[in-house]
């Protein structure tokens, strides 16, 4: 079985974006009182949005199940206030629930969180509980920079985040560290902000005792761990100079990289450098890079092609494609049996 | 001849840091009137600071000449105001000049700039001219984020920077894109801020027509180009989706990566991915990572060992070790003949 740990609902029906635009327009009117409002999307519209995209690619590329969350770039935690973020988040998560209900064998849900700049992460606990306990979600996407590129929140290793982490551990769900769109013109959302956030989070983990405080917490750093595998010697050396644990030891039970690296040489490096137990198959399709690579005639984000070319034992392949992901997101086991498909 | 394009004076005599501390202490006193003050460092102190460090490593590792600039993490453009930055910068550059005068065969100078948050880059022109025309420097380090991790300046591709670029072109000197220490607790100076800035600059270059406006300008993105070679497929795909020129074409005459990547697999990837004409040998020794890798028994930052193991033709080796650097920093040719040593 092949589980793709990283998919966003980037192809949601247009009514979702219309809702968001209406919500944002309301922010400009001082007399505006925010309401959640209804979102009119039919089951057929949801089916249509997926059949020609994620489901088609699952079939064509040969993956079985996608761990699916709202569009990351659209989370936009920096827009409006906590109420804006909460209503938008609930709509997005409810839509993921409907996707997973319509296609229970193809998608399992991960939630967006109602983060907002300056608002304590503890305020996201109720939405995490709702998504996990009521909607059957198996994890969340945690934004280390709700300000959208101004990096005003405390580091992920600060006690500011601890109440939320306690709930993650209690519910036994991991978080993928994933920023959203940036409003800082220095950064390009998918080109630099995403990758920078991955690299930033890893270095925060190196320099803190977070995993002493939370030995069972699990984080996925997406996009192949940002710059980390390429600069593995730098991070090993920094950890050593700073008298911190070796990287493999720090990562072991707590930090995992996905395979969202869009060329063969990058994937080869990832598998050469990072322990096989800490790599989860992921593609982020349909996502940041949508084109076809003219040098291979295949989609850049068809990461299964690259992973298939890495010389791995059958046992290691099973780890990357399924078993590691089941360990990191254990609630998936209640949803999808090992024998499915 | 082997030229190391990336070295900072990280081992400067203690009097330099004492000066800086005094300068910073003065900022807290509202009655303080900044003065440049004298810096008392003897030639012997300079010799001592280098003989056991950079010069020793040049001899041991087999490089001939280091393109040498003030300590990057100490530039601290975010500290104080424009005057603070100017006085500090002049002191640091003057000290580099003395190093290069004492060891003209071992070091050639690159300057720090008196950047300051919110102050137009054009205000750095006079110091660039002084360093190039009077002190014989061959390039500069340009900080894309003088705020030290808050990223408040316009992107490098904004016209805000153009007057400075015009002077760079007129003087025929390149800039290494190099941030300094960060005051944002999310970032670790050498672990994430440096690498993020490299990645950020590259993505800015992808999305702009800067090199149409400045066909002869040259930028070095240090630390092996940040995350770029590892995510080469992502950047190729983004450029393609955005209808921008292919990466090789965009980089060709304008963007160069150094070899400050501290493990063999990373260096191998760099040489596999990036055109040999756009790679300059660099180590950043004595710099971010000072330890010895227990798996190799060699210094992490002894990048020559890694480059020597890449299967390159003699002609390609000469490019990386010398010829590319002479093209990017042409003023070096007036200082160091091809036959030296």
């Amino acid at each position: 079985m092949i589980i793709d740990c990283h998919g966003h609902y980037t192809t949601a029906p247009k009514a979702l974006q219309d809702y968001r635009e209406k919500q944002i327009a309301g922010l400009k009117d001082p007399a505006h009182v925010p309401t959640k409002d209804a979102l009119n999307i039919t089951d057929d519209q949801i089916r249509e949005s997926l059949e020609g995209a994620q489901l088609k690619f699952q079939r064509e590329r040969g993956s079985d199940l996608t761990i699916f969350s709202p569009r990351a770039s659209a989370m936009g935690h920096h827009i409006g206030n906590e109420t804006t973020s909460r209503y938008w988040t609930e709509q997005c998560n409810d839509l993921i629930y409907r996707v997973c209900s319509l296609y229970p064998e193809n998608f399992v849900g991960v939630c967006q969180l109602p983060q907002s700049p300056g608002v304590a992460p503890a305020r996201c606990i109720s939405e995490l509980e709702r998504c996990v306990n009521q909607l059957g979600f198996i994890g969340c996407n945690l934004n280390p920079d709700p300000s959208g590129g101004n990096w005003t929140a405390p580091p992920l290793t600060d006690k500011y985040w601890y109440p939320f982490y306690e709930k993650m551990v209690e519910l036994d769900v991991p978080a993928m560290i994933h920023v959203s769109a940036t409003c800082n013109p220095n950064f390009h959302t998918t080109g630099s902000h995403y990758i920078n956030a991955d690299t930033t989070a890893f270095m925060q983990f190196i320099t803190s005792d977070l995993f002493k405080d939370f030995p069972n917490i699990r984080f996925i750093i997406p996009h192949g761990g940002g710059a980390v595998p390429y600069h593995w010697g730098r991070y090993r050396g920094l950890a050593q100079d700073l008298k911190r644990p070796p990287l493999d030891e720090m990562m072991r039970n707590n930090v995992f990289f996905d395979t969202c690296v869009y060329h063969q040489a990058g994937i080869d490096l990832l598998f050469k450098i990072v322990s096989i137990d800490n790599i989860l198959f992921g593609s982020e399709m349909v996502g940041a890079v949508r084109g076809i690579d003219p040098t291979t005639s295949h989609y850049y984000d068809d990461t299964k092609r690259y992973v298939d070319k890495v010389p791995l034992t059958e046992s290691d392949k099973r780890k990357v494609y399924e078993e590691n992901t089941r360990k990191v997101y254990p609630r998936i086991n209640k949803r999808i049996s090992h024998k499915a498909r």
Side-chain angles (χ1 to χ4, degrees), chain A residues 139-195:
Chain A
C140 60
N141 291 334
L142 185 66
N143 185 345
D145 173 28
S147 74
N150 295 318
W151 290 95
T152 54
L156 289 172
T157 48
D158 192 280
K159 290 201 162 50
Y160 176 75
W161 303 89
Y162 275 28
F164 185 77
Y165 294 162
E166 283 162 15
K167 185 55 68 176
M168 280 172 58
V169 172
E170 183 195 316
L171 294 171
D172 203 14
V173 294
M176 181 176 277
I177 309 294
H178 208 307
V179 287
S180 184
T182 172
C183 55
N184 185 324
N186 279 285
F187 306 122
H188 180 277
T189 295
T190 54
S192 51
H193 190 43
Y194 280 18
I195 306 295

Side-chain angles (χ1 to χ4, degrees), chain A residues 96-111:
Chain A
I96 294 295
Y97 172 71
R98 290 179 63 192
V99 167
C100 298
S101 303
L102 287 169
Y103 297 97
E105 293 198 353
N106 298 93
F107 298 104
V108 59
V110 150
C111 65

Side-chain angles (χ1 to χ4, degrees), chain A residues 232 247-248 251-253 255-259 267-281 306-328:
Chain A
W232 194 247
L247 303 188
D248 286 332
M251 291 181 70
R252 189 163 299 136
N253 300 310
V255 181
F256 303 84
F257 294 168
D258 73 13
T259 64
I267 288 286
D268 290 345
L269 179 77
L270 170 66
F271 279 85
K272 187 167 192 173
I273 291 301
V274 176
S275 164
I276 194 77
D277 295 317
N278 294 75
I279 302 176
L280 313 184
F281 173 68
Y306 313 130
V307 175
D308 279 343
K309 283 194 186 152
V310 178
L312 296 175
T313 64
E314 279 308 307
S315 148
D316 282 351
K317 251 187 197 169
R318 272 196 304 275
K319 284 183 176 179
V320 171
Y321 279 132
E322 177 176 0
E323 290 168 11
N324 293 345
T325 307
R326 287 188 183 274
K327 280 185 192 158
V328 174

Side-chain angles (χ1 to χ4, degrees), chain A residues 83-155:
Chain A
T83 306
T84 320
S85 183
R86 178 165 304 277
Y87 287 163
W88 171 237
T89 297
E90 288 172 2
Q91 297 283 21
C92 290
N93 289 335
D94 288 349
L95 200 57
I96 294 295
Y97 172 71
R98 290 179 63 192
V99 167
C100 298
S101 303
L102 287 169
Y103 297 97
E105 293 198 353
N106 298 93
F107 298 104
V108 59
V110 150
C111 65
Q112 169 177 334
L113 295 167
Q115 295 178 252
S116 190
V119 175
R123 305 271 300 168
C124 295
I125 289 176
S126 59
E127 180 64 1
L128 180 70
E129 285 184 313
R130 181 180 83 94
C131 289
V132 173
N133 291 329
Q134 295 176 38
L135 310 186
F137 285 19
I138 63 169
C140 60
N141 291 334
L142 185 66
N143 185 345
D145 173 28
S147 74
N150 295 318
W151 290 95
T152 54

Side-chain angles (χ1 to χ4, degrees), chain A residues 262-263 291-300 306:
Chain A
Y262 296 156
H263 66 142
I292 289 175
D293 184 344
T295 67
T296 65
S297 306
H298 296 291
Y299 286 97
Y300 285 101
Y306 313 130

Side-chain angles (χ1 to χ4, degrees), chain A residues 13-20 36-42 45 88 90-92 94-95 98:
Chain A
K14 187 172 168 296
L16 183 68
Q17 188 55 33
D18 292 345
Y19 172 92
R20 179 61 162 171
K36 187 169 170 185
D37 297 335
L39 183 60
N40 291 313
I41 292 176
T42 65
Q45 285 174 324
W88 171 237
E90 288 172 2
Q91 297 283 21
C92 290
D94 288 349
L95 200 57
R98 290 179 63 192

